[in-house]
Amino acid sequence: MTNTARIEQTRVAEALRHVLASRTFARSERLRSFLKFVVEMEQLGLAHQLKGYTIGIDVFSRDEGFDPGTDPLVRVHAGKLRKLLNQFYADEGRNETLRIRIPLGGYVPVYEDTLDTNWDREAQPLSAVAIPMSSGMPAFTSHSTTIADLPNITVVNAQRSDRRAGIFLQALGTESHWAVALNGRQAERQGRDQTGSAALQFELHIEVTDDASDRLSVWLRHTASNIEVPSSRMSIDITEDNLVLAMAANQFASTNLTIPGHVYRFCNKRGLSSGLMLCLEATYRYKLEQTDDAFQQARRHQQRWSGMRASKELITEIPRLITLSCLAN
């Protein structure tokens, strides 16, 4: 057994101990036995034996004639166990760094790791970074290895001589938008299918009016279809203080460039979303809902990556998830 595997086994044992000793499970001897049995069997490499029949006999002391198809005993208690685990992690176990889950439709436990460990901290995370240009306007760059898998936003036809447009873009570049790549160059990896990346190209348009209204207009357009992203347009009074411009940039980013934003909605509606985008959305939804069904969806999307198919844990931190997908590529 490798040292990594030994440490992981220790963490699972500790996580199990915390659950079994909790107030939440104090009155549920059967559910404690149920959880202890399935976790220990999985850790011994006997996950394939975790069937309704085996659990009925070994945990609930049913005789050999037990039929899980007609007797719902194990299924009912599995449902109770899932609910009690959710209750534990929502309350006294909310600070646990390794969480045990029993997915719907089975009895083999999986482990949700909430620690930012086992990932390359030297790898540059995907975030918008302002880079000075000779024109005085900022450009944006980001980690190039995931750009083909995320919406790529490129600034076009900006009035580069206008100081207020520059302030807006500079403020936009100081925010970290884990859901998109801002003005990154198209990934150039040997053998990579570029069709997906072309479908995920977007343009950020920014204009300053010449009339007395003195406003800045900014919107997003899908490059391939030449369609403006619905609800992305924003009009800003640029006679206000620069901090108001910065606040507008922050609002524009949160409503358009994040996982629940308009760019992702646009891609979803037109079937353009990449596997990474779908994985990020499923993980984000699980973070919001904390339900068994959302957990299953997030885990299913994560396990579709070749580098994570054998993993028993669910990664819930979006930055870590993107960084790991960078390394997998």
Side-chain angles (χ1 to χ4, degrees):
M1 181 183 293
T2 66
N3 187 52
T4 301
R6 187 177 297 113
I7 293 173
E8 179 64 24
Q9 192 172 49
T10 302
R11 289 189 67 200
V12 171
E14 185 72 3
L16 175 62
R17 186 181 68 81
H18 289 172
V19 174
L20 298 180
S22 68
R23 297 188 307 275
T24 306
F25 276 77
R27 299 180 180 179
S28 304
E29 179 62 34
R30 274 191 164 187
L31 295 184
R32 289 202 305 272
S33 298
F34 194 158
L35 182 63
K36 185 174 185 292
F37 178 77
V38 297
V39 170
E40 289 180 349
M41 288 285 283
E42 187 279 328
Q43 288 291 287
L44 290 171
L46 301 175
H48 61 283
Q49 295 185 19
L50 291 176
K51 308 294 184 182
Y53 178 78
T54 307
I55 295 170
I57 292 177
D58 292 341
V59 176
F60 297 103
S61 302
R62 289 296 190 263
D63 57 34
E64 294 183 357
F66 173 66
D67 182 2
T70 57
D71 188 338
L73 173 72
V74 177
R75 294 195 303 274
V76 169
H77 279 81
K80 292 179 179 179
L81 178 57
R82 294 183 188 104
K83 291 179 181 178
L84 209 58
L85 282 169
N86 286 340
Q87 181 180 331
F88 170 72
Y89 290 122
D91 186 16
E92 60 181 306
R94 60 186 176 279
N95 294 322
E96 293 291 316
T97 58
L98 189 70
R99 302 183 176 191
I100 303 169
R101 301 291 189 185
I102 309 298
L104 290 170
Y107 307 112
V108 179
V110 295
Y111 310 106
E112 175 190 338
D113 192 349
T114 63
L115 271 182
D116 263 353
T117 56
N118 300 324
W119 62 290
D120 186 359
R121 292 183 180 276
E122 298 300 319
Q124 180 183 351
L126 185 68
S127 58
V129 182
I131 297 180
M133 295 179 63
S134 57
S135 63
M137 292 289 290
F140 304 97
T141 187
S142 49
H143 201 291
S144 62
T145 55
T146 58
I147 285 175
D149 301 317
L150 294 174
N152 189 347
I153 315 296
T154 303
V155 180
V156 299
N157 77 335
Q159 292 160 290
R160 297 187 179 276
S161 60
D162 190 277
R163 179 185 60 85
R164 295 157 300 184
I167 289 172
F168 179 89
L169 288 174
Q170 185 69 42
L172 194 65
T174 60
E175 299 295 324
S176 293
H177 313 300
W178 295 102
V180 304
L182 288 177
N183 210 35
R185 294 179 182 176
Q186 190 174 26
E188 297 177 355
R189 284 176 290 180
Q190 185 176 3
R192 182 172 184 84
D193 180 4
Q194 297 295 336
T195 303
S197 61
L200 294 176
Q201 297 296 315
F202 291 83
E203 300 168 350
L204 173 62
H205 293 256
I206 181 168
E207 291 182 352
V208 178
T209 58
D210 296 327
D211 55 28
S213 62
D214 219 14
R215 300 189 72 81
L216 182 147
S217 295
V218 57
W219 69 95
L220 291 162
R221 185 178 298 277
H222 183 234
T223 304
S225 65
N226 201 32
I227 297 175
E228 181 174 327
V229 176
S231 304
S232 69
R233 186 176 289 266
M234 176 181 286
S235 180
I236 308 157
D237 183 353
I238 51 181
T239 62
E240 298 283 356
D241 181 83
N242 289 340
L243 290 180
V244 175
L245 273 176
M247 184 171 63
N250 194 357
Q251 180 182 350
F252 181 84
S254 64
T255 56
N256 289 289
L257 308 182
T258 54
I259 294 171
H262 295 307
V263 169
Y264 268 59
R265 293 184 186 184
F266 180 93
C267 293
N268 280 340
K269 198 169 186 178
R270 289 160 178 79
L272 303 176
S273 298
S274 66
L276 175 57
M277 292 171 66
L278 294 173
C279 185
L280 291 173
E281 287 181 297
T283 303
Y284 183 78
R285 184 177 292 277
Y286 169 65
K287 295 267 288 184
L288 292 177
E289 299 176 358
Q290 293 287 306
T291 63
D292 289 329
D293 185 59
F295 176 89
Q296 281 284 74
Q297 289 293 331
R299 184 167 182 264
R300 186 176 299 115
H301 280 292
Q302 289 188 18
Q303 288 188 324
R304 285 174 181 168
W305 290 338
S306 58
M308 295 180 63
R309 282 177 188 156
S311 176
K312 298 183 180 71
E313 61 178 313
L314 175 75
I315 297 171
T316 58
E317 300 302 318
I318 299 297
R320 182 187 172 200
L321 192 57
I322 293 181
T323 303
L324 285 177
S325 62
C326 284
L327 299 175
N329 290 331

